[in-house]
Amino acid sequence: MGLKSKVLIIGATGYLGKRLVNASLQQGHETYVLRRPEIGVDIEKIQMLLSFKKQGAHLVTGSFSDHRSLVEALKQVDVVICAVSGVHIRSHQILLQLKLVDAIKEAGNIKRFLPSEFGTDPARMADALEPGRVTFDDKMVVRKAIEDAGIPFTYVSANCFAGYMVGGLCQPGHILPSRESVLLLGDGNKKSIFVDEDDIAAYTIRTINDPRTCNKTVYIRPSENILSQREVVELWEKLIGKQLEKSSLSEQDFINIMRGQGYAEQVGLTHYYHVFYEGCLTNFEIGDDAEEACALYPDIKYTKVADYLKQYL
């Protein structure tokens, strides 16, 4: 478990990607970051890349539109972690990874590939609603390509990002908690799983040299963060010493509102529907063909939802 790898992180300037870079460096891996020419004159991304370099990361140039550049970048490393966006309100780039799979096949030296997953396990979402199912369908296309190519993999299912879900008390369109009111999705009692994004990165990096996680899905399920929306609200109420005014949105009303939104918004709302009306993150047991990160790495002290909420006081 003390082995160190040469790790290439793609999508390093993104919401999760920058955390993966930091976690890789903190855990002592020789860390490489793909600098894609497509970022152009985006000064914030350029400065972030330079900050990674200052911390000890290596910048390597490569583009999804230049197969040879990807192969050359891959030949310098052992492990590849891709964190390109799969969120439609930002950019949906999941299928770009098929080009990465082709490059990994040609390079022939990659010991582990972690594709851009990190949310709901797409293998369990075959019955997801349109149009949100596109996220899961595209991830399954990438999985099939990886497995058909015989590339060693780890799929990380990190459930709900705390920044998106906890801060807004699980309400779509909110990332800061109200001190006055909250809209419960249904009865607010379906259990979900919330994980701090820095913890997602820490657990992810720990998997890369672990033989127990090779060719498996790793779920991140911090036991104290398996909570319903109502329980998240109660934690916030305890912190502010005040009861929020509560209203409820029925399943059918949620679907009706969702159908009136634009495509990108519908995709995101579909995911809220499956998590908070169906309980898709907690309605199954982890089988022998998968692992749970908190059990594998009990030394990582994860951030509890109750503590995460304190930053909003």
Side-chain angles (χ1 to χ4, degrees), residues 120-127 140 219 280 283-287 289:
T120 304
D121 180 1
R124 296 186 176 276
M125 300 304 293
D127 296 324
M140 291 305 293
Y219 297 94
C280 69
N283 62 3
F284 64 92
E285 297 296 324
I286 296 174
D289 58 342

Side-chain angles (χ1 to χ4, degrees), residues 98 101-102 104-105 113 139-153 155 215:
L98 295 175
V101 170
D102 288 340
I104 291 172
K105 285 193 292 187
F113 176 35
K139 287 180 178 180
M140 291 305 293
V141 169
V142 174
R143 284 190 180 193
K144 184 176 188 302
I146 292 168
E147 293 168 29
D148 285 351
I151 298 167
F153 64 84
Y155 304 139
N215 295 337

Side-chain angles (χ1 to χ4, degrees), residues 174-230:
H174 297 263
I175 55 173
L176 292 171
S178 170
R179 291 172 178 259
E180 304 300 329
S181 63
V182 64
L183 178 65
L184 297 175
L185 303 181
D187 61 12
N189 289 325
K190 291 290 186 184
K191 294 284 187 178
S192 186
I193 306 168
F194 307 95
V195 190
D196 179 292
E197 290 85 342
D198 290 327
D199 294 339
I200 294 171
Y203 284 118
T204 296
I205 298 299
R206 284 293 290 274
T207 70
I208 64 176
N209 283 324
D210 191 341
R212 298 173 296 180
T213 64
C214 188
N215 295 337
K216 287 187 177 181
T217 296
V218 175
Y219 297 94
I220 306 178
R221 284 187 167 188
S223 59
E224 294 193 50
N225 290 358
I226 301 175
L227 302 166
S228 67
Q229 182 190 15
R230 192 178 288 273

Side-chain angles (χ1 to χ4, degrees), residues 27-96:
Q27 293 183 33
H29 297 286
E30 190 171 343
T31 304
Y32 293 72
V33 171
L34 191 73
R35 183 186 70 79
R36 291 190 274 168
E38 289 85 354
I39 65 173
V41 293
D42 187 328
I43 188 63
E44 290 186 351
K45 290 185 177 181
I46 293 293
Q47 289 181 341
M48 193 183 303
L49 289 171
L50 292 174
S51 75
F52 294 151
K53 185 178 179 182
K54 190 179 293 185
Q55 294 172 60
H58 306 281
L59 304 185
V60 293
T61 301
S63 171
F64 283 110
S65 61
D66 182 349
H67 174 76
R68 181 52 44 197
S69 71
L70 283 181
V71 172
E72 292 305 315
L74 292 166
K75 285 182 176 179
Q76 300 179 56
V77 300
D78 310 308
V79 174
V80 184
I81 305 174
C82 190
V84 296
S85 176
V87 181
H88 279 74
I89 57 172
R90 292 186 170 205
S91 59
H92 184 71
Q93 301 179 329
I94 295 299
L95 292 181
L96 277 179

